[in-house]
Amino acid sequence: MDENTFPVRHGGQLPAQNQGQPPVPAGPPWGPMDDHLLYTCGVVHDLAQGNLPHRPPLPTTTRLAPGELSLAAGPAARSTFRPLGDGSYTQTSTMAMGSTGFVVGALAVNAMGNASRRSQAQANAQSRWVLEGHGEVTVTDRRAIFGHPQSWLDLPWSGLATMDLAAPDTFECAFHDIHGKGYTTVRLHSLWASLIFVLAAHAAFPAHPRLLSHGWLPPGFEARAAAYGRPCPSVR
């Protein structure tokens, strides 16, 4: 198998240097992210040539639809853009008896406690990225499936309202939750983020600027792969 048919080769170690071989290229060493990008280029090339259905399916325990092709799998984490609370909090009241100083002090402490709870509730009502858990993502030609006991996620390309590559290892998308939870924005953190992005873009966002500009692939990646003896198919 070569880099374009095997889902990932961990380690990214270079072959031993023998006399007469070209020197190790300057810059960062070849690593796992490079392996994932190289495999993604192979998938994109096959997709453009109409050869994707001929790829051997990746073994997976994820339930697939008839004709669905599993392409990759690996560790991932899910984050959701949401508030931690609804802004409500419990306000307490204090009844104090005794000297005037004691009563004033007790009421002041109670007021400060209520103010602190109110401030925390207001902060929790603001949406932010919340890590929901770690699991495994399976990527097919139709969707990405994140496996997790509490934060399971099925992202068919046809169901996405928006999507982008927030970082080389972060796929971000939004959709309308089928369980009535409204508009949901999530991120999948995975070395397969670029593969997820390019498959979703080809299927449902063919005019996406990052797809048209090939911005999902680092500049000069093909030359970098060639320098490390890993031929990369043309995808630009």
Side-chain angles (χ1 to χ4, degrees), residues 197-213:
F197 167 83
V198 77
L199 289 172
H202 270 281
F205 301 85
H208 195 290
R210 198 181 300 276
L211 178 66
L212 297 179
S213 68

Side-chain angles (χ1 to χ4, degrees), residues 13-208:
Q13 295 181 344
L14 298 177
Q17 292 292 315
N18 297 322
Q19 187 175 5
Q21 288 187 333
V24 175
W30 187 271
M33 175 61 79
D34 297 301
D35 278 324
H36 285 70
L37 287 173
L38 184 60
Y39 177 76
T40 298
C41 288
V43 171
V44 173
H45 182 265
D46 284 354
L47 182 62
Q49 299 298 317
N51 294 325
L52 196 61
H54 301 302
R55 276 185 168 259
L58 175 78
T60 178
T61 58
T62 300
R63 180 175 178 175
L64 304 178
E68 186 173 8
L69 178 64
S70 54
L71 293 169
R78 172 190 171 174
S79 295
T80 306
F81 193 69
R82 64 175 179 85
L84 295 175
D86 59 5
S88 62
Y89 69 101
T90 301
Q91 182 169 316
T92 62
S93 299
T94 297
M95 294 184 62
M97 299 180 64
S99 66
T100 301
F102 174 80
V103 171
V104 170
L107 293 177
V109 170
N110 184 70
M112 287 189 293
N114 283 329
S116 176
R117 285 186 287 272
R118 179 172 62 252
S119 178
Q120 186 62 52
Q122 292 173 344
N124 288 344
Q126 304 300 311
S127 294
R128 81 288 304 274
W129 288 109
V130 179
L131 180 63
E132 307 288 4
H134 294 79
E136 180 174 275
V137 63
T138 298
V139 186
T140 78
D141 57 337
R142 304 180 189 179
R143 57 186 172 143
I145 309 100
F146 175 69
H148 187 273
Q150 287 81 39
S151 301
W152 184 85
L153 189 64
D154 189 346
L155 295 174
W157 314 142
S158 59
L160 302 181
T162 65
M163 66 104 208
D164 204 353
L165 194 64
D169 62 351
T170 304
F171 175 76
E172 180 177 324
C173 66
F175 54 91
H176 292 281
D177 193 281
I178 61 174
H179 302 292
K181 297 181 180 179
Y183 195 71
T184 303
T185 303
V186 300
R187 282 179 172 177
L188 283 180
H189 309 277
S190 168
L191 291 178
W192 290 121
S194 290
L195 177 62
I196 297 172
F197 167 83
V198 77
L199 289 172
H202 270 281
F205 301 85
H208 195 290

